[in-house]
Amino acid sequence: MSSTLHRQIETLTKQLRLPTFRQSFLELAQQAALQNSNHEQYLHQLLELEQTQRAQRRIQQKTRRAGFPCKKYLQDLSIPDLPPDAQEKLPLLQRLDFITQAQNVILSDNPGTGKTHIAIALGIKACLAGLNVLFTTIPRLITKIQESRSQRTLRQLENRFENYDLVISDWN
């Protein structure tokens, strides 16, 4: 492939915002040539790779925007150490049906019983499922509400909350 054509493809993929395509087209072209793949197979492979990378970036973006204080996962929970109520209800919560059914979930127990871990892990699972999540603390939320009231932007704050599929409010 000529260097002029190479530069033109790079320019076009920048303009079209196809970063994975830009990074992979030469390598995949060489592989396609070695495997005697046709143009359609090569193009399909490039587009599939771009789509996969975009989906992964979208999930990473959702997880980052959610504002989790740390990464906690359901598989890292020690189920036998959880309170009996949590052990019983966790399988149901893991299905995330409470989100689609617009149900509230309140986790309450003594400190150190895994409430925050469960909340963050469910939030991350929701992000992985493509849902929009916000993690905040109760004090931060109260402060935002008070600031919005004083600046007369409470309705804007309410509208922002309507964009979330799941809002997690933690005491910490």
Side-chain angles (χ1 to χ4, degrees):
M1 186 176 297
S2 74
S3 60
T4 304
L5 186 56
H6 179 110
R7 282 193 303 275
Q8 289 173 345
I9 291 172
E10 284 187 350
T11 301
L12 287 170
T13 55
K14 281 181 185 177
Q15 291 171 353
L16 292 171
R17 295 186 177 132
L18 300 169
T20 304
F21 196 111
R22 180 174 50 257
Q23 294 165 0
S24 305
F25 80 93
L26 275 178
E27 181 183 336
L28 290 179
Q30 291 168 353
Q31 287 177 10
L34 291 173
Q35 297 169 355
N36 291 326
S37 297
N38 62 36
H39 294 85
E40 291 87 1
Q41 291 169 324
Y42 165 68
L43 184 58
H44 179 264
Q45 190 176 7
L46 260 175
L47 292 172
E48 201 170 56
L49 185 60
E50 181 71 41
Q51 190 274 335
T52 301
Q53 291 296 317
R54 281 185 184 207
Q56 289 175 351
R57 283 192 303 271
R58 202 170 18 256
I59 287 170
Q60 289 170 345
Q61 213 173 32
K62 284 180 183 292
T63 305
R64 194 173 40 253
R65 282 187 193 151
F68 298 113
C70 57
K71 299 268 171 83
K72 301 278 187 177
Y73 300 94
L74 291 168
Q75 64 264 25
D76 297 333
L77 274 170
S78 175
I79 305 296
D81 294 337
L82 294 175
D85 283 358
Q87 289 180 32
E88 180 185 322
K89 293 177 183 164
L90 189 59
L92 183 63
L93 292 173
Q94 287 180 4
R95 292 179 23 204
L96 302 179
D97 291 341
F98 67 95
I99 298 171
T100 56
Q101 295 169 359
Q103 295 177 331
N104 293 322
V105 174
I106 298 174
L107 304 176
S108 67
D109 207 330
N110 293 325
T113 54
K115 298 178 301 296
T116 300
H117 188 137
I118 291 170
I120 292 171
L122 290 172
I124 289 175
K125 184 170 182 170
C127 287
L128 293 173
L131 300 174
N132 293 317
V133 177
L134 172 67
F135 182 95
T136 187
T137 63
I138 298 291
R140 191 179 317 141
L141 182 57
I142 291 171
T143 301
K144 279 188 178 189
I145 291 170
Q146 289 172 336
E147 288 173 354
S148 293
R149 274 185 151 164
S150 68
Q151 296 172 1
R152 300 184 196 278
T153 58
L154 190 56
R155 186 67 190 138
Q156 284 178 316
L157 181 65
E158 289 173 359
N159 289 339
R160 281 191 21 225
F161 273 80
E162 290 177 13
N163 294 326
Y164 296 111
D165 301 300
L166 174 63
V167 176
I168 301 168
S169 300
D170 192 33
W171 281 106
N172 297 337

